[in-house]
Amino acid sequence: GKTIYISGQTAYNKRREFLGGDFASQVDQSLKNLLAVLEAANAKPEDVISIRLYVKDYRENIHLQILMNMLKQFFNSEKL
């Protein structure tokens, strides 16, 4: 098989506009961007074996639950 390395997926849309707003909106756009890259490589979220996230001004009590719920939905898994 092939290995694909993807980096730098941020909250910019297709028109290269940064989606400010709340944390969940930014995570959602970043995951949409990741999905677009995966699809372009004929891959899907289930093919991902590792993910590393960097969150500016991260506050666990605010961001962790939102992030985990969105990742579980994106990867269609409760095993995160």
Side-chain angles (χ1 to χ4, degrees):
K2 63 182 177 179
T3 302
I4 305 163
Y5 295 91
I6 302 169
S7 66
Q9 300 309 304
T10 59
Y12 283 87
N13 63 21
K14 290 181 181 182
R15 294 182 302 275
R16 295 184 180 186
E17 300 166 329
F18 180 72
L19 298 180
D22 66 355
F23 178 72
S25 297
Q26 292 181 27
V27 172
D28 182 61
Q29 184 62 52
S30 298
L31 292 173
K32 286 177 182 175
N33 295 343
L34 174 58
L35 182 60
V37 174
L38 288 170
E39 289 175 345
N42 294 316
K44 54 192 178 295
E46 293 80 20
D47 297 323
V48 174
I49 60 169
S50 178
I51 186 168
R52 183 168 294 161
L53 306 167
Y54 296 96
V55 179
K56 182 178 177 185
D57 299 324
Y58 177 76
R59 294 187 194 129
E60 185 172 342
N61 62 328
I62 296 171
H63 299 121
L64 183 62
Q65 191 64 40
I66 294 168
L67 185 58
M68 293 307 294
N69 287 339
M70 295 181 82
L71 288 172
K72 286 177 184 177
Q73 182 178 355
F74 180 78
F75 289 107
N76 196 24
S77 175
E78 291 296 320
K79 298 179 184 178
L80 296 176

Coordinates of all heavy atoms in Angstrom, one line a residue:
G1 N 0.8 -1.2 0.0 CA 0.0 0.0 0.0 C 0.9 1.3 0.0 O 2.1 1.2 0.1
K2 N 0.2 2.3 0.0 CA 0.9 3.6 0.0 C 0.7 4.4 1.3 O -0.3 4.1 2.0 CB 0.5 4.5 -1.2 CG -1.0 4.9 -1.2 CD -1.3 5.7 -2.4 CE -2.8 6.1 -2.4 NZ -3.1 6.9 -3.6
T3 N 1.6 5.2 1.6 CA 1.5 6.0 2.8 C 1.3 7.5 2.4 O 2.0 8.0 1.5 CB 2.8 5.9 3.6 OG1 3.0 4.5 4.0 CG2 2.7 6.7 4.9
I4 N 0.4 8.1 3.0 CA 0.1 9.5 2.7 C 0.4 10.3 4.0 O -0.1 10.0 5.1 CB -1.3 9.7 2.3 CG1 -1.7 8.9 1.1 CG2 -1.6 11.2 2.0 CD1 -3.2 8.7 0.9
Y5 N 1.2 11.4 3.9 CA 1.4 12.3 5.0 C 0.7 13.6 4.7 O 0.9 14.2 3.7 CB 2.9 12.5 5.2 CG 3.6 11.3 5.6 CD1 4.2 10.5 4.7 CD2 3.7 10.9 7.0 CE1 4.9 9.3 5.1 CE2 4.4 9.8 7.4 CZ 5.0 9.0 6.4 OH 5.6 7.8 6.8
I6 N -0.2 14.0 5.6 CA -1.0 15.2 5.5 C -0.7 16.1 6.6 O -0.7 15.7 7.8 CB -2.5 14.9 5.4 CG1 -2.8 13.9 4.3 CG2 -3.3 16.2 5.3 CD1 -4.2 13.3 4.3
S7 N -0.5 17.4 6.3 CA -0.2 18.3 7.4 C -0.8 19.7 7.1 O -1.2 20.0 6.0 CB 1.3 18.5 7.7 OG 1.9 19.1 6.6
G8 N -1.0 20.5 8.2 CA -1.4 21.8 8.0 C -2.8 22.1 7.7 O -3.2 23.1 7.0
Q9 N -3.7 21.2 8.1 CA -5.1 21.4 7.8 C -5.7 22.4 8.9 O -5.7 22.1 10.0 CB -5.9 20.1 7.9 CG -5.4 19.1 6.8 CD -5.3 19.7 5.5 OE1 -6.3 20.2 4.9 NE2 -4.1 19.7 4.9
T10 N -6.1 23.6 8.4 CA -6.6 24.6 9.3 C -8.0 25.0 8.9 O -8.6 24.4 8.0 CB -5.6 25.8 9.2 OG1 -5.6 26.3 7.8 CG2 -4.2 25.5 9.6
A11 N -8.5 26.0 9.6 CA -9.9 26.4 9.4 C -10.1 27.4 8.2 O -10.8 28.4 8.4 CB -10.4 27.0 10.7
Y12 N -9.4 27.2 7.1 CA -9.6 28.0 5.9 C -10.5 27.2 5.0 O -10.4 26.0 4.8 CB -8.3 28.3 5.2 CG -7.5 29.3 5.9 CD1 -6.6 29.0 6.9 CD2 -7.5 30.7 5.5 CE1 -5.8 30.0 7.6 CE2 -6.8 31.7 6.2 CZ -5.9 31.3 7.2 OH -5.2 32.3 7.8
N13 N -11.4 28.0 4.3 CA -12.3 27.3 3.4 C -11.7 27.3 2.0 O -10.6 27.7 1.8 CB -13.7 28.0 3.4 CG -13.7 29.4 2.9 OD1 -12.8 29.9 2.3 ND2 -14.7 30.2 3.3
K14 N -12.5 26.8 1.0 CA -12.0 26.7 -0.3 C -11.6 28.0 -1.0 O -10.8 28.1 -1.9 CB -13.0 26.0 -1.2 CG -13.2 24.5 -0.9 CD -14.2 23.9 -1.8 CE -14.4 22.5 -1.5 NZ -15.3 21.8 -2.4
R15 N -12.2 29.1 -0.5 CA -11.9 30.4 -1.0 C -10.7 31.1 -0.2 O -10.4 32.3 -0.4 CB -13.1 31.3 -0.9 CG -14.2 30.9 -1.9 CD -15.4 31.8 -1.8 NE -16.0 31.9 -0.5 CZ -16.9 31.1 0.1 NH1 -17.3 30.0 -0.6 NH2 -17.4 31.3 1.3
R16 N -10.1 30.3 0.6 CA -8.9 30.7 1.4 C -9.3 31.8 2.4 O -8.5 32.7 2.8 CB -7.8 31.1 0.6 CG -7.2 30.0 -0.2 CD -6.0 30.4 -1.0 NE -5.5 29.3 -1.8 CZ -4.4 29.3 -2.5 NH1 -3.7 30.4 -2.5 NH2 -4.0 28.2 -3.1
E17 N -10.5 31.7 2.9 CA -11.0 32.6 3.9 C -10.9 31.9 5.3 O -11.4 30.8 5.4 CB -12.5 33.0 3.7 CG -12.6 33.7 2.4 CD -14.1 33.8 1.9 OE1 -14.9 32.9 2.3 OE2 -14.4 34.8 1.3
F18 N -10.3 32.5 6.3 CA -10.3 31.9 7.6 C -11.6 32.0 8.3 O -12.2 33.1 8.3 CB -9.2 32.6 8.5 CG -9.1 32.0 9.8 CD1 -8.5 30.8 10.0 CD2 -9.6 32.7 10.9 CE1 -8.4 30.2 11.2 CE2 -9.5 32.1 12.2 CZ -8.9 30.9 12.3
L19 N -12.1 30.9 8.8 CA -13.3 30.8 9.5 C -13.0 31.1 11.0 O -12.6 30.2 11.7 CB -14.0 29.5 9.3 CG -14.4 29.1 7.9 CD1 -15.1 27.8 7.9 CD2 -15.3 30.2 7.3
G20 N -13.3 32.3 11.4 CA -13.1 32.6 12.8 C -14.3 32.0 13.5 O -14.7 30.9 13.2
G21 N -14.8 32.6 14.5 CA -15.9 32.1 15.2 C -15.4 31.1 16.3 O -14.3 31.2 16.8
D22 N -16.3 30.2 16.6 CA -16.1 29.4 17.7 C -15.2 28.2 17.4 O -14.9 27.9 16.2 CB -17.4 28.9 18.4 CG -18.2 28.0 17.5 OD1 -17.8 27.8 16.3 OD2 -19.2 27.5 17.9
F23 N -14.7 27.5 18.4 CA -13.8 26.4 18.3 C -14.4 25.3 17.4 O -13.7 24.8 16.6 CB -13.4 25.9 19.7 CG -12.5 24.7 19.7 CD1 -11.2 24.9 19.4 CD2 -13.0 23.5 20.1 CE1 -10.3 23.8 19.4 CE2 -12.1 22.4 20.1 CZ -10.8 22.5 19.8
A24 N -15.6 24.9 17.7 CA -16.2 23.8 16.9 C -16.3 24.1 15.4 O -16.1 23.2 14.6 CB -17.6 23.6 17.5
S25 N -16.6 25.4 15.1 CA -16.6 25.7 13.6 C -15.2 25.6 13.0 O -15.1 25.1 11.9 CB -17.1 27.2 13.5 OG -18.4 27.3 13.9
Q26 N -14.2 25.9 13.7 CA -12.8 25.8 13.2 C -12.4 24.3 13.1 O -11.8 23.9 12.1 CB -11.9 26.6 14.1 CG -12.1 28.1 14.0 CD -11.1 28.9 14.8 OE1 -10.0 28.4 15.1 NE2 -11.5 30.0 15.3
V27 N -12.8 23.5 14.1 CA -12.5 22.1 14.0 C -13.2 21.5 12.8 O -12.7 20.7 12.0 CB -12.8 21.4 15.3 CG1 -12.7 19.9 15.2 CG2 -11.9 21.9 16.4
D28 N -14.5 21.8 12.7 CA -15.3 21.3 11.6 C -14.7 21.6 10.2 O -14.6 20.7 9.4 CB -16.7 21.9 11.7 CG -17.6 21.3 10.6 OD1 -17.8 20.1 10.6 OD2 -18.1 22.1 9.8
Q29 N -14.3 22.8 10.0 CA -13.6 23.2 8.7 C -12.3 22.4 8.5 O -12.0 22.0 7.4 CB -13.4 24.7 8.6 CG -12.9 25.1 7.3 CD -13.8 24.8 6.1 OE1 -15.0 25.1 6.2 NE2 -13.3 24.1 5.1
S30 N -11.5 22.3 9.6 CA -10.3 21.6 9.5 C -10.5 20.1 9.1 O -9.8 19.6 8.3 CB -9.5 21.7 10.8 OG -9.2 23.0 11.1
L31 N -11.5 19.5 9.7 CA -11.9 18.1 9.3 C -12.4 18.0 7.9 O -12.1 17.0 7.2 CB -12.8 17.5 10.4 CG -12.2 17.3 11.8 CD1 -13.3 16.9 12.7 CD2 -11.1 16.3 11.7
K32 N -13.2 19.0 7.5 CA -13.6 19.0 6.1 C -12.4 19.1 5.1 O -12.4 18.4 4.1 CB -14.6 20.2 5.8 CG -15.9 20.0 6.4 CD -16.8 21.2 6.2 CE -18.2 21.1 6.8 NZ -19.0 22.3 6.7
N33 N -11.4 19.9 5.5 CA -10.2 20.0 4.7 C -9.5 18.7 4.6 O -9.0 18.3 3.6 CB -9.4 21.1 5.2 CG -10.0 22.5 5.0 OD1 -11.0 22.7 4.3 ND2 -9.5 23.5 5.7
L34 N -9.4 18.1 5.8 CA -8.7 16.8 5.9 C -9.4 15.7 5.0 O -8.8 15.0 4.3 CB -8.6 16.3 7.3 CG -8.1 14.9 7.6 CD1 -6.7 14.7 7.0 CD2 -8.1 14.5 9.1
L35 N -10.7 15.7 5.1 CA -11.5 14.8 4.3 C -11.3 15.0 2.8 O -11.1 14.1 2.0 CB -13.0 14.9 4.6 CG -13.9 13.9 3.9 CD1 -13.5 12.5 4.1 CD2 -15.4 14.2 4.2
A36 N -11.2 16.3 2.4 CA -11.0 16.6 0.9 C -9.6 16.0 0.5 O -9.5 15.5 -0.6 CB -11.1 18.1 0.7
V37 N -8.6 16.2 1.3 CA -7.3 15.7 1.0 C -7.3 14.2 0.9 O -6.7 13.6 0.0 CB -6.2 16.2 1.9 CG1 -4.9 15.6 1.7 CG2 -6.1 17.7 1.9
L38 N -7.9 13.5 1.9 CA -8.0 12.1 1.9 C -8.7 11.6 0.6 O -8.3 10.6 0.0 CB -8.8 11.6 3.1 CG -8.0 11.7 4.5 CD1 -9.0 11.4 5.6 CD2 -6.9 10.8 4.5
E39 N -9.8 12.2 0.3 CA -10.6 11.8 -0.9 C -9.8 12.0 -2.2 O -9.8 11.1 -3.1 CB -11.9 12.5 -1.0 CG -12.9 12.1 0.1 CD -14.2 12.9 0.1 OE1 -14.2 14.0 -0.5 OE2 -15.1 12.4 0.7
A40 N -9.0 13.0 -2.2 CA -8.1 13.3 -3.4 C -7.1 12.2 -3.6 O -6.6 11.9 -4.7 CB -7.5 14.6 -3.3
A41 N -6.7 11.6 -2.4 CA -5.7 10.5 -2.5 C -6.4 9.1 -2.5 O -5.8 8.1 -2.2 CB -4.8 10.6 -1.2
N42 N -7.7 9.1 -2.7 CA -8.5 7.8 -2.7 C -8.4 7.1 -1.4 O -8.3 5.9 -1.3 CB -8.0 6.9 -3.9 CG -8.4 7.5 -5.2 OD1 -9.4 8.0 -5.4 ND2 -7.4 7.4 -6.1
A43 N -8.5 7.9 -0.3 CA -8.5 7.3 1.0 C -9.7 7.8 1.8 O -10.4 8.7 1.3 CB -7.2 7.8 1.7
K44 N -9.9 7.3 2.9 CA -11.0 7.7 3.8 C -10.6 7.8 5.2 O -9.5 7.3 5.6 CB -12.2 6.7 3.6 CG -11.8 5.3 3.8 CD -13.0 4.4 3.3 CE -12.6 2.9 3.5 NZ -11.5 2.4 2.7
P45 N -11.4 8.4 6.1 CA -11.0 8.5 7.5 C -10.6 7.2 8.1 O -9.7 7.2 9.0 CB -12.2 9.2 8.1 CG -12.9 9.9 7.0 CD -12.7 9.1 5.8
E46 N -11.2 6.2 7.8 CA -10.9 4.9 8.4 C -9.5 4.4 8.1 O -9.0 3.5 8.7 CB -11.9 3.8 7.9 CG -13.3 4.0 8.4 CD -14.1 5.1 7.6 OE1 -13.7 5.4 6.4 OE2 -15.1 5.6 8.2
D47 N -8.9 5.0 7.1 CA -7.5 4.6 6.7 C -6.4 5.4 7.5 O -5.3 5.0 7.5 CB -7.3 5.0 5.2 CG -8.1 4.2 4.3 OD1 -8.4 3.0 4.6 OD2 -8.6 4.7 3.3
V48 N -6.9 6.4 8.3 CA -5.9 7.2 9.1 C -5.4 6.3 10.3 O -6.2 5.7 11.0 CB -6.6 8.5 9.6 CG1 -5.7 9.2 10.5 CG2 -6.9 9.3 8.4
I49 N -4.1 6.3 10.5 CA -3.6 5.5 11.6 C -3.1 6.4 12.7 O -2.9 5.9 13.8 CB -2.5 4.5 11.2 CG1 -1.4 5.3 10.5 CG2 -3.1 3.5 10.2 CD1 -0.1 4.4 10.3
S50 N -2.8 7.7 12.4 CA -2.3 8.6 13.5 C -2.7 10.0 13.1 O -2.8 10.4 12.0 CB -0.8 8.5 13.5 OG -0.3 9.3 14.5
I51 N -3.0 10.7 14.2 CA -3.4 12.1 14.0 C -2.8 12.9 15.2 O -2.7 12.5 16.3 CB -4.9 12.3 13.9 CG1 -5.2 13.8 13.6 CG2 -5.6 11.9 15.2 CD1 -6.7 14.0 13.2
R52 N -2.2 14.1 14.8 CA -1.6 15.0 15.8 C -2.3 16.3 15.7 O -2.3 16.9 14.6 CB -0.1 15.1 15.7 CG 0.5 15.9 16.8 CD 2.0 15.8 16.7 NE 2.3 14.4 17.1 CZ 3.5 13.9 16.9 NH1 4.4 14.5 16.3 NH2 3.7 12.6 17.3
L53 N -2.8 16.9 16.8 CA -3.5 18.1 16.7 C -2.7 19.2 17.5 O -2.2 18.9 18.6 CB -4.9 18.0 17.3 CG -5.7 16.9 16.8 CD1 -6.9 16.6 17.6 CD2 -6.2 17.2 15.4
Y54 N -2.8 20.4 17.0 CA -2.2 21.5 17.7 C -3.3 22.6 17.8 O -3.9 23.0 16.8 CB -1.0 22.1 16.9 CG 0.1 21.2 16.8 CD1 0.3 20.4 15.7 CD2 1.0 21.0 17.9 CE1 1.3 19.4 15.6 CE2 2.1 20.1 17.8 CZ 2.2 19.4 16.7 OH 3.2 18.5 16.6
V55 N -3.6 23.0 19.0 CA -4.7 23.9 19.3 C -4.1 25.1 20.0 O -3.5 25.0 21.1 CB -5.8 23.3 20.1 CG1 -6.9 24.3 20.4 CG2 -6.4 22.0 19.4
K56 N -4.3 26.3 19.4 CA -3.8 27.5 20.0 C -4.7 27.9 21.2 O -5.9 27.8 21.1 CB -3.8 28.6 19.0 CG -3.2 29.9 19.5 CD -3.2 31.0 18.4 CE -2.7 32.3 19.1 NZ -2.7 33.4 18.1
D57 N -4.1 28.3 22.3 CA -4.9 28.7 23.5 C -5.8 27.6 24.0 O -6.9 27.8 24.4 CB -5.7 30.0 23.2 CG -4.8 31.1 22.8 OD1 -3.7 31.2 23.4 OD2 -5.2 31.9 22.0
Y58 N -5.3 26.3 23.9 CA -6.1 25.2 24.4 C -6.4 25.2 25.8 O -5.6 25.5 26.7 CB -5.3 23.9 24.1 CG -5.9 22.6 24.5 CD1 -7.0 22.1 23.8 CD2 -5.6 22.0 25.7 CE1 -7.6 20.9 24.1 CE2 -6.2 20.8 26.0 CZ -7.2 20.3 25.3 OH -7.8 19.1 25.7
R59 N -7.7 25.0 26.1 CA -8.2 24.9 27.5 C -9.0 23.6 27.6 O -10.0 23.5 27.0 CB -9.1 26.1 27.8 CG -8.3 27.4 27.8 CD -9.2 28.5 28.3 NE -8.5 29.8 28.0 CZ -9.1 30.8 27.4 NH1 -10.3 30.7 27.0 NH2 -8.4 31.8 27.1
E60 N -8.4 22.6 28.3 CA -9.0 21.3 28.3 C -10.4 21.3 28.8 O -11.2 20.6 28.2 CB -8.1 20.4 29.3 CG -8.6 19.0 29.3 CD -7.7 18.1 30.1 OE1 -6.5 18.4 30.4 OE2 -8.2 17.0 30.4
N61 N -10.8 22.1 29.8 CA -12.1 22.1 30.3 C -13.1 22.7 29.2 O -14.3 22.4 29.3 CB -12.2 22.9 31.6 CG -11.8 24.4 31.4 OD1 -11.0 24.7 30.6 ND2 -12.5 25.2 32.2
I62 N -12.6 23.4 28.3 CA -13.5 24.0 27.2 C -13.4 23.1 25.9 O -14.5 22.8 25.3 CB -13.1 25.4 26.9 CG1 -13.3 26.3 28.2 CG2 -13.9 26.0 25.7 CD1 -12.8 27.7 28.0
H63 N -12.3 22.8 25.5 CA -12.1 22.2 24.2 C -12.1 20.7 24.1 O -12.5 20.2 23.0 CB -10.7 22.7 23.6 CG -10.7 24.2 23.4 ND1 -9.8 25.0 24.1 CD2 -11.5 25.1 22.8 CE1 -10.0 26.3 23.8 NE2 -11.0 26.3 23.0
L64 N -11.7 20.0 25.1 CA -11.5 18.5 25.0 C -12.8 17.8 24.6 O -12.8 17.0 23.7 CB -10.9 18.0 26.3 CG -10.7 16.5 26.2 CD1 -9.6 16.1 25.2 CD2 -10.2 16.0 27.6
Q65 N -13.9 18.1 25.2 CA -15.1 17.4 24.9 C -15.6 17.7 23.5 O -16.0 16.8 22.8 CB -16.2 17.7 26.0 CG -17.4 16.8 25.9 CD -17.1 15.4 26.2 OE1 -16.3 15.1 27.1 NE2 -17.7 14.4 25.4
I66 N -15.5 18.9 23.1 CA -15.9 19.3 21.8 C -15.1 18.5 20.7 O -15.6 17.9 19.8 CB -15.8 20.8 21.6 CG1 -16.8 21.6 22.4 CG2 -16.0 21.2 20.1 CD1 -16.5 23.1 22.5
L67 N -13.8 18.6 21.0 CA -12.8 18.0 20.0 C -13.0 16.5 19.9 O -13.1 15.9 18.9 CB -11.4 18.3 20.5 CG -10.3 17.8 19.6 CD1 -10.4 18.4 18.2 CD2 -8.9 18.2 20.2
M68 N -13.2 15.8 21.1 CA -13.3 14.3 21.1 C -14.6 13.9 20.4 O -14.7 13.0 19.6 CB -13.3 13.8 22.5 CG -11.9 13.9 23.1 SD -10.6 13.3 22.1 CE -10.9 11.5 22.2
N69 N -15.7 14.7 20.7 CA -17.0 14.3 20.0 C -16.9 14.5 18.5 O -17.4 13.7 17.7 CB -18.1 15.2 20.6 CG -18.5 14.8 22.0 OD1 -18.3 13.7 22.4 ND2 -19.1 15.7 22.7
M70 N -16.3 15.5 18.0 CA -16.1 15.8 16.6 C -15.2 14.7 15.9 O -15.5 14.3 14.8 CB -15.7 17.2 16.3 CG -16.7 18.2 16.8 SD -16.2 19.9 16.5 CE -16.7 20.0 14.7
L71 N -14.2 14.4 16.6 CA -13.3 13.3 16.1 C -13.9 12.0 16.0 O -13.8 11.2 15.1 CB -12.0 13.3 16.9 CG -11.0 14.4 16.7 CD1 -9.9 14.3 17.7 CD2 -10.5 14.5 15.3
K72 N -14.7 11.6 17.1 CA -15.4 10.4 17.1 C -16.4 10.3 15.9 O -16.5 9.3 15.2 CB -16.2 10.2 18.4 CG -15.3 9.8 19.5 CD -16.0 9.7 20.8 CE -15.1 9.4 22.0 NZ -15.8 9.4 23.3
Q73 N -17.1 11.4 15.6 CA -18.0 11.5 14.5 C -17.3 11.4 13.2 O -17.7 10.6 12.3 CB -18.8 12.8 14.6 CG -19.9 12.9 13.5 CD -20.7 14.1 13.6 OE1 -20.6 14.9 14.6 NE2 -21.5 14.4 12.7
F74 N -16.2 12.1 13.0 CA -15.5 12.1 11.8 C -14.9 10.7 11.5 O -15.0 10.3 10.4 CB -14.3 13.1 11.9 CG -13.5 13.2 10.6 CD1 -13.9 13.9 9.5 CD2 -12.2 12.6 10.6 CE1 -13.2 14.0 8.4 CE2 -11.5 12.7 9.4 CZ -11.9 13.4 8.3
F75 N -14.3 10.1 12.5 CA -13.7 8.8 12.3 C -14.7 7.7 12.5 O -14.4 6.5 12.4 CB -12.5 8.6 13.2 CG -11.3 9.5 12.8 CD1 -11.0 10.6 13.5 CD2 -10.6 9.1 11.6 CE1 -9.9 11.3 13.1 CE2 -9.5 9.9 11.2 CZ -9.2 11.0 12.0
N76 N -16.0 8.0 12.8 CA -17.0 7.0 13.0 C -16.6 5.9 14.0 O -16.6 4.7 13.7 CB -17.4 6.4 11.6 CG -18.7 5.7 11.7 OD1 -19.6 6.0 12.6 ND2 -19.0 4.7 10.8
S77 N -16.1 6.4 15.1 CA -15.5 5.5 16.1 C -15.7 6.0 17.5 O -15.6 7.2 17.8 CB -14.0 5.3 15.8 OG -13.4 4.5 16.8
E78 N -15.9 5.1 18.4 CA -16.0 5.4 19.8 C -14.6 5.1 20.5 O -14.5 5.2 21.7 CB -17.1 4.6 20.5 CG -18.5 5.0 20.1 CD -18.8 6.5 20.5 OE1 -18.4 6.9 21.6 OE2 -19.4 7.2 19.7
K79 N -13.7 4.6 19.7 CA -12.4 4.1 20.3 C -11.3 5.2 20.4 O -10.1 4.9 20.5 CB -11.9 3.0 19.4 CG -12.8 1.8 19.4 CD -12.2 0.7 18.5 CE -13.2 -0.4 18.4 NZ -12.7 -1.5 17.5
L80 N -11.6 6.4 20.3 CA -10.6 7.5 20.4 C -10.2 7.7 21.9 O -10.9 7.6 22.8 CB -11.1 8.8 19.8 CG -11.4 8.7 18.3 CD1 -11.9 10.0 17.9 CD2 -10.1 8.4 17.6

